[in-house]
Amino acid sequence: MSNSQPNFNLHLTARGYLLDLLIMNSDPSTDQNELREILLFLNNLITFDEMNLRKEEAEEI
């Protein structure tokens, strides 16, 4: 796959990293509310990107 081809599984990889981040930062010293907000924000960005990829794919057909 060349660099110009989008990686349609990238959103799944990114969500996996978000879960890893949540697991690694579950210690009591971490501000859990702030972490939840950050994870929600990043998940929304991933979802938005995924929707754009699907839209571009549909437009190519």
Side-chain angles (χ1 to χ4, degrees):
M1 183 186 318
S2 70
N3 288 339
S4 64
Q5 292 288 329
N7 182 350
F8 291 104
N9 292 323
L10 190 59
H11 63 279
L12 297 175
T13 303
R15 285 196 175 100
Y17 281 117
L18 285 180
L19 290 174
D20 289 344
L21 177 69
L22 180 61
I23 291 167
M24 290 186 303
N25 288 291
S26 59
D27 63 278
S29 65
T30 302
D31 182 343
Q32 295 299 313
N33 289 327
E34 184 177 58
L35 181 60
R36 273 189 220 101
E37 287 184 29
I38 291 168
L39 290 173
L40 180 61
F41 177 77
L42 292 173
N43 187 61
N44 288 343
L45 287 177
I46 293 166
T47 301
F48 180 73
D49 190 50
E50 180 184 5
M51 289 169 37
N52 283 336
L53 286 174
R54 289 183 185 201
K55 181 181 174 185
E56 289 173 9
E57 185 180 54
E59 289 173 353
E60 290 177 0
I61 295 175

